[in-house]
């Protein structure tokens, strides 16, 4: 999102990655600054789903696309797979409540070990995956934390999320 004079642009885009190239399929200008809301994201998926069969596709998304209801709806309403990057605080409470010490998980990741633990929300099972990023652009951004509903091997999930960085 950006501003041009007094006009605000926030283009929420769905793209498909084909042979390493991101091709935009559907977009909406939200006419605002800041992140999109849960309702705005659901509406975009509903509109796009009328044009393209999204069922079975994998959504790759960045840190602002989180929330219990959002994850459940991706699976139940749209039958999508997803790999979503998390901030260091997303789902911390849920992991701690489920007897996964969040601090220990982060410490393990920072010691260059990856983690892959189940996380349950709203009666659904997801996976919390973490890996250290070596030589990050921003030294404070050295962790890759993901949530997914995929059963693929952890290395494949991380590799697939790497496609997300090509879309920008």
């Amino acid at each position: 999102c950006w501003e041009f004079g007094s006009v605000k642009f926030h283009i929420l885009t769905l793209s498909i990655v084909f042979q390493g190239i991101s091709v935009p399929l559907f977009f909406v200008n939200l006419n605002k600054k800041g992140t999109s809301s849960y309702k705005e994201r659901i509406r975009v998926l509903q509109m796009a789903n009328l044009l393209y069969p999204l069922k079975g596709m994998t959504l790759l998304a960045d840190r602002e696309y989180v929330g219990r209801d959002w994850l459940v709806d991706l699976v139940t309403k749209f039958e999508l797979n997803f790999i979503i990057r998390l901030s260091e605080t997303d789902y911390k409470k849920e992991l701690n409540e489920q007897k996964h010490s969040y601090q220990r998980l982060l410490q393990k990741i920072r010691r260059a070990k990856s983690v892959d633990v189940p996380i349950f929300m709203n009666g659904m099972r997801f996976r919390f995956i973490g890996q250290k990023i070596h030589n990050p652009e921003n030294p404070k951004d050295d962790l890759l934390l993901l949530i997914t509903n995929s059963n693929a091997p952890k290395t494949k999930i991380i590799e697939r999320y790497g496609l997300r960085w090509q879309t920008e």
Side-chain angles (χ1 to χ4, degrees), residues 14-35:
L14 283 176
S15 299
I16 189 164
V17 178
F18 180 72
Q19 295 184 353
I21 297 171
S22 179
V23 179
L25 294 177
F26 188 84
F27 64 90
V28 171
N29 183 4
L30 300 177
N31 298 311
K32 69 175 195 173
K33 278 184 80 173
T35 60

Side-chain angles (χ1 to χ4, degrees), residues 63 85 110 131-144 165:
R63 296 174 244 226
R85 187 167 186 194
R110 285 207 164 92
Q131 177 176 297
K132 184 169 181 63
I133 299 174
H134 298 284
N135 304 316
E137 288 181 24
N138 178 349
K140 292 181 180 179
D141 197 13
D142 65 336
L143 301 181
L144 177 63
W165 285 315

Side-chain angles (χ1 to χ4, degrees), residues 83-100:
I83 305 169
I84 300 174
R85 187 167 186 194
L86 304 174
S87 74
E88 277 196 41
T89 57
D90 293 325
Y91 308 115
K92 175 180 180 178
K93 177 183 168 204
E94 288 84 352
L95 285 161
N96 281 328
E97 286 173 354
Q98 294 171 34
K99 309 299 184 229
H100 298 291

Side-chain angles (χ1 to χ4, degrees), residues 61-126:
D62 208 2
R63 296 174 244 226
E64 61 269 18
Y65 299 96
V66 294
R68 285 175 174 237
D69 293 338
W70 169 246
L71 299 180
V72 169
D73 283 353
L74 289 175
V75 176
T76 60
K77 288 184 179 177
F78 300 101
E79 298 181 58
L80 286 170
N81 298 307
F82 60 83
I83 305 169
I84 300 174
R85 187 167 186 194
L86 304 174
S87 74
E88 277 196 41
T89 57
D90 293 325
Y91 308 115
K92 175 180 180 178
K93 177 183 168 204
E94 288 84 352
L95 285 161
N96 281 328
E97 286 173 354
Q98 294 171 34
K99 309 299 184 229
H100 298 291
S101 167
Y102 194 74
Q103 280 309 115
R104 281 197 211 117
L105 290 172
L106 294 185
Q107 288 169 355
K108 185 175 181 179
I109 297 166
R110 285 207 164 92
R111 288 191 315 263
K113 297 181 181 180
S114 59
V115 300
D116 183 352
V117 298
I119 177 171
F120 296 88
M121 291 185 283
N122 294 19
M124 299 187 78
R125 182 185 186 275
F126 304 111

